[in-house]
Amino acid sequence: DIDKKVKDKILVELFKFQLNFHIRNCNQYKNWFKKMNFKDPKKIFKLNEIPYLPNRVFKENILKSTNKFSKKILSSGTSGSRSSQIFIDQNTSYLQKLCLAKILTKYIGVKRRTFFVFDVDPMRTKVDFEISARTAGITGYLMGANKVVYLLESKPEKKVKFNSKKLNFFFSELKKSPCVIIGYTYMIWKYLVKEKLVKKSLKDINKKTKLIHFGGWKKLNQKKVSKKFFNSEILKVLNIPIDSVLDIYGFTEQLGNVYVSEGNSGKRVGSYAHVIIRDINTLEEVEDGKSGFIQCLSPLSLSYPGFSILNDDIGKIVKRENRKGTEILEFEIQDRVENLEPRGCGDTLPSNYYE
């Protein structure tokens, strides 16, 4: 935690550095910045003055500020849609790993634990698009593990079932020591909450066990499963405190920085990020409690201009408190705009931007 005034001042300077860096090193970003006639970085003093890119830009353009990238990451969009292409160099990768490690340590502690993954092992499975997207999302969190156990296996005709040997180890290990259960939200729902075999065997487990889940809410929303109902069902299976159920929000365009919700609380904005809610029509910042597009700011991306992103997720600020100078800021996701170019958001790009 850090004093709000100190944090804001540091972040503003970091984002001004980012603006200048990417204007110098990414021609497309420079052209966009000039044509939009944004405020000179020298004259920016507030976080809400930092320009933002709609996240869909990365689905339609290759934006990079270096040619020395070490890997390319694709977003996990649906199989019929374009994926964002994000280019990561060694410096950006280091910052992302460092940030994620610090965030995870805050919630699960310094000591490494056994991670039980409610998914198939990608190294032993013929990987399709859906599995690839899920496992890519999990990989970063596994740095906190001393052992990783994938509980599911793929059978012929694409049937996914538990590996009985690993499942028995799962049951016995959870009674002896605090572990981490991790998986996509709908995989946790399907194979942990709804699976009778599992429910019967998890009554007596170590109370310091943590459950991490992320993504996959679209399928549960279709089943009318709310976050509160999901958590209530989890607690019927796992005898752990509700604050040990960690719902994580993050996205490919800003890897490394994630927003964690403990139990039914909002998603906490950490020391390495800031969040602004903008009106769907005017894109002006709205007051707390009102809904709008979520602008996420994170200073980690050096290899591509992803430090300020306007997402197509709709959300609102649910908590803003000052505790001895430290700002406690939380938001919640309410909806997602599907296949819609919001008014104003599209206007942040010149007509010939893609040419």
Side-chain angles (χ1 to χ4, degrees):
D1 293 330
I2 185 172
D3 182 87
K4 173 177 167 48
K5 291 181 179 179
V6 174
K7 175 187 171 181
D8 287 358
K9 185 176 180 180
I10 292 173
L11 285 180
V12 167
E13 291 304 311
L14 285 173
F15 292 133
K16 287 164 71 172
F17 167 81
Q18 288 267 13
L19 280 167
N20 288 317
F21 179 82
H22 294 296
I23 287 170
R24 288 196 310 270
N25 293 285
C26 179
N27 285 330
Q28 287 174 294
Y29 190 81
K30 177 179 71 176
N31 293 338
W32 167 76
F33 188 88
K34 287 184 176 180
K35 289 177 181 178
M36 293 305 299
N37 197 28
F38 285 119
K39 186 182 291 188
D40 188 309
K42 293 179 182 178
K43 299 178 180 179
I44 291 177
F45 301 102
K46 298 179 180 179
L47 289 169
N48 62 6
E49 297 174 335
I50 305 296
Y52 46 80
L53 283 172
N55 64 347
R56 64 182 174 81
V57 166
F58 293 93
K59 300 179 187 296
E60 302 180 29
N61 294 268
I62 293 177
L63 299 179
K64 52 185 177 179
S65 301
T66 179
N67 289 318
K68 297 181 179 179
F69 60 90
S70 56
K71 55 187 174 183
K72 180 174 73 172
I73 306 295
L74 298 179
S75 66
S76 59
T78 58
S79 57
S81 66
R82 293 183 181 181
S83 296
S84 293
Q85 298 185 68
I86 305 301
F87 296 85
I88 310 293
D89 65 0
Q90 290 185 344
N91 289 330
T92 300
S93 179
Y94 170 77
L95 292 174
Q96 291 173 340
K97 290 177 182 178
L98 182 64
C99 181
L100 184 58
K102 287 183 175 293
I103 294 172
L104 287 179
T105 297
K106 174 181 173 63
Y107 290 97
I108 67 174
V110 178
K111 189 175 181 180
R112 292 179 179 271
R113 308 185 186 196
T114 300
F115 275 53
F116 289 100
V117 184
F118 270 73
D119 217 318
V120 298
D121 186 342
M123 302 300 292
R124 302 190 176 198
T125 308
K126 186 178 180 181
V127 177
D128 59 20
F129 181 88
E130 186 175 355
I131 293 174
S132 176
R134 293 200 308 263
T135 54
I138 290 174
T139 302
Y141 302 101
L142 300 184
M143 70 174 77
N146 60 11
K147 184 173 185 177
V148 178
V149 181
Y150 289 88
L151 294 173
L152 302 175
E153 58 186 1
S154 183
K155 295 293 186 179
E157 299 178 2
K158 295 187 177 181
K159 289 184 178 179
V160 175
K161 293 185 177 181
F162 282 104
N163 179 300
S164 57
K165 184 177 180 180
K166 292 180 178 179
L167 189 62
N168 288 330
F169 175 65
F170 171 63
F171 293 146
S172 63
E173 191 70 12
L174 254 64
K175 293 178 181 179
K176 294 187 293 185
S177 58
C179 303
V180 173
I181 301 168
I182 184 170
Y184 255 45
T185 304
Y186 75 86
M187 296 293 284
I188 294 291
W189 176 261
K190 182 175 181 179
Y191 292 100
L192 176 62
V193 176
K194 306 305 289 184
E195 180 59 58
K196 293 180 180 179
L197 173 65
V198 176
K199 291 169 72 172
K200 290 180 179 179
S201 305
L202 291 176
K203 298 300 181 184
D204 182 25
I205 67 172
N206 190 290
K207 299 297 188 294
K208 293 184 180 180
T209 292
K210 302 283 187 177
L211 170 70
I212 296 176
H213 68 97
F214 50 89
W217 272 110
K218 184 175 181 179
K219 291 186 178 181
L220 288 189
N221 288 337
Q222 291 171 349
K223 296 177 181 292
K224 307 298 182 184
V225 176
S226 68
K227 178 175 177 173
K228 286 187 176 180
F229 182 68
F230 176 89
N231 287 340
S232 68
E233 293 297 296
I234 284 289
L235 298 185
K236 291 178 183 178
V237 180
L238 300 175
N239 187 21
I240 59 176
I242 189 170
D243 288 350
S244 292
V245 180
L246 307 176
D247 178 10
I248 295 184
Y249 175 73
F251 49 98
T252 306
E253 293 81 7
Q254 282 187 359
L255 291 171
N257 228 326
V258 295
Y259 306 88
V260 182
S261 168
E262 297 177 283
N264 292 325
S265 68
K267 302 185 187 304
R268 176 73 67 89
V269 179
S271 300
Y272 310 97
H274 186 61
V275 163
I276 296 170
I277 306 298
R278 295 191 175 274
D279 184 89
I280 294 173
N281 294 308
T282 67
L283 295 182
E284 294 295 322
E285 183 176 8
V286 301
E287 61 186 57
D288 293 354
K290 290 193 174 181
S291 301
F293 289 116
I294 303 171
Q295 179 188 355
C296 294
L297 298 101
S298 168
L300 306 180
S301 59
L302 293 173
S303 54
Y304 66 99
F307 60 94
S308 179
I309 301 292
L310 191 72
N311 278 329
D312 50 10
D313 289 322
I314 306 296
K316 65 180 180 180
I317 300 295
V318 295
K319 178 186 284 189
R320 192 191 298 266
E321 296 179 357
N322 191 301
R323 296 181 186 172
K324 297 181 180 180
T326 299
E327 182 180 62
I328 307 300
L329 183 62
E330 296 180 359
F331 66 98
E332 70 176 22
I333 309 296
Q334 296 174 294
D335 204 353
R336 167 166 286 191
V337 177
E338 300 286 356
N339 302 316
L340 173 66
E341 179 179 305
R343 201 179 95 199
C345 183
D347 295 337
T348 64
L349 299 174
S351 58
N352 62 345
Y353 181 82
Y354 300 123
E355 296 177 1

